[in-house]
Amino acid sequence: MSVLLSLILITSLTSCSGVKQLEIFKKEVPREKLNLNKPTPLELENLRWIIITSENAEEVFKKLEEQGIDPVLWGLTDKDFELLAKNFAQIRNQLKITNDLLDKYKEYYEKEDEQK
Amino acid sequence: MVYLAQRQLIMLGIRLFFIGILASAVIGAGIYVMKLRSDNAILKANQIKLESAVADQQELITSQKKDFEEILGANKKMNELVGLLKKDLEDLDKRFNKKNRDVGKLAIAKTESIERITNGASALATRCIEIASGSPLTEKEKNATKKSEINSECPSIANPNYIPY
């Protein structure tokens, strides 16, 4: 009887304190790729600027008529022309920055995907 | 006689009791050793997992360092580009207002020549927008190194090999 009691006591005591096995979970689920195509680069038409002064105005309109073009012009003062040029330069700069930014993101994340 | 038999019985009981304790101790020790061995095996497995986790962390740190360097590089390049584009814009402003230049008066005085210059600059500016939108550079644009060869409207993006002098 005492043997049985001792056995039960020892077994229960030794089973109380144990070392637990570590469980490390690692599950990687890749995000779906966006895969948007880059916009096609622009192909613009060249404009023709005509300068009209009080002295050459008649001659300019006459030339237009001779070329079969309606004798009508949209005008800008020299200051407005300057502003137009600067506005376009700013749009161009913004376009370049945005485009390069897009390239950098693509390069960074797609290279990462390739490495994986 | 009865007393002797009783005494022997008690002695036998005591002996059995001690034998029982001894046997329990031996069996308990055996079980304990087996448990220790099992714990040891688990600890070894844990150690291997921990070492692997440390190696993974090290790899992650290295990869993060590389990423940070790449991010810094990209930021630097973007800042350089912004600086160059700003310079292009300042150059355009200079072209209009250099030394109190009045484009309007110049256009009155030299109408044909200013018209030709305006159309030339307009064509170059149009090309600049195409490049900014992602159009690839031509060989001529890539190889331009002289002032006479460059796109004066946006040399920073049109002529990568041009160094202003």
Side-chain angles (χ1 to χ4, degrees):
Chain A
M1 186 67 183
S2 64
V3 175
L4 193 67
L5 272 171
S6 306
L7 269 173
I8 293 166
L9 191 71
I10 289 163
T11 313
S12 60
L13 275 174
T14 49
S15 300
C16 276
S17 63
V19 182
K20 285 181 182 170
Q21 195 157 5
L22 266 182
E23 288 293 338
I24 299 172
F25 293 99
K26 200 192 272 185
K27 194 179 180 188
E28 204 170 339
V29 182
R31 200 177 180 190
E32 287 300 318
K33 287 180 184 174
L34 191 58
N35 271 342
L36 292 178
N37 287 329
K38 262 195 89 176
T40 317
L42 295 169
E43 280 181 38
L44 302 173
E45 301 290 339
N46 271 331
L47 297 173
R48 179 185 161 205
W49 289 93
I50 299 168
I51 297 177
I52 321 166
T53 63
S54 52
E55 288 170 13
N56 77 348
E58 273 184 40
E59 189 193 334
V60 166
F61 284 114
K62 200 179 155 193
K63 269 187 186 170
L64 287 176
E65 279 178 338
E66 280 170 8
Q67 290 165 9
I69 300 167
D70 293 333
V72 59
L73 295 166
W74 271 253
L76 286 175
T77 65
D78 58 339
K79 293 292 163 205
D80 285 339
F81 173 74
E82 188 180 325
L83 292 178
L84 182 76
K86 285 178 186 172
N87 284 350
F88 264 97
Q90 287 193 56
I91 293 168
R92 175 193 73 211
N93 290 358
Q94 199 64 22
L95 188 63
K96 175 69 181 164
I97 290 167
T98 313
N99 217 23
D100 275 24
L101 209 65
L102 189 68
D103 282 344
K104 293 271 174 242
Y105 269 100
K106 220 172 157 64
E107 191 185 316
Y108 183 81
Y109 286 106
E110 288 188 1
K111 199 163 76 183
E112 194 182 63
D113 286 345
E114 281 167 19
Q115 280 170 354
K116 280 173 188 172
Chain B
M1 190 75 175
V2 173
Y3 174 74
L4 198 70
Q6 271 181 342
R7 203 178 156 193
Q8 275 177 344
L9 207 66
I10 290 165
M11 284 302 286
L12 185 71
I14 290 167
R15 271 191 204 124
L16 276 173
F17 177 74
F18 279 108
I19 289 167
I21 287 176
L22 262 170
S24 306
V26 170
I27 293 165
I31 291 168
Y32 187 65
V33 167
M34 277 165 70
K35 190 188 172 311
L36 275 180
R37 285 172 73 178
S38 148
D39 284 353
N40 197 31
I42 293 168
L43 281 170
K44 273 183 185 169
N46 284 354
Q47 179 67 20
I48 291 165
K49 279 182 187 172
L50 280 171
E51 276 170 10
S52 153
V54 168
D56 283 352
Q57 288 292 317
Q58 202 62 44
E59 200 180 320
L60 180 74
I61 290 166
T62 313
S63 155
Q64 271 186 322
K65 264 187 186 174
K66 201 180 156 200
D67 285 350
F68 285 137
E69 277 167 19
E70 210 170 320
I71 291 166
L72 281 174
N75 264 314
K76 196 183 163 197
K77 274 188 182 171
M78 284 308 293
N79 286 335
E80 279 171 5
L81 175 72
V82 170
L84 289 170
L85 292 173
K86 202 177 159 194
K87 196 184 169 296
D88 280 354
L89 202 63
E90 284 167 2
D91 287 348
L92 176 69
D93 189 56
K94 272 184 202 166
R95 251 175 281 148
F96 279 112
N97 301 304
K98 196 177 177 184
K99 293 175 187 169
N100 291 326
R101 178 187 282 166
D102 187 331
V103 180
K105 283 195 175 74
L106 273 173
I108 293 168
K110 299 172 183 176
T111 309
E112 277 182 24
S113 137
I114 295 294
E115 192 174 282
R116 198 175 56 250
I117 291 168
T118 305
N119 278 309
S122 174
L124 291 176
T126 303
R127 175 65 189 144
C128 291
I129 293 176
E130 287 179 353
I131 295 167
S133 74
S135 176
L137 297 177
T138 61
E139 285 303 309
K140 198 181 164 191
E141 284 165 340
K142 280 182 200 167
N143 298 330
T145 50
K146 291 176 190 165
K147 220 169 190 174
S148 57
E149 297 169 341
I150 62 163
N151 181 333
S152 53
E153 293 298 311
C154 57
S156 63
I157 60 171
N159 310 108
N161 290 318
Y162 171 66
I163 300 159
Y165 50 88

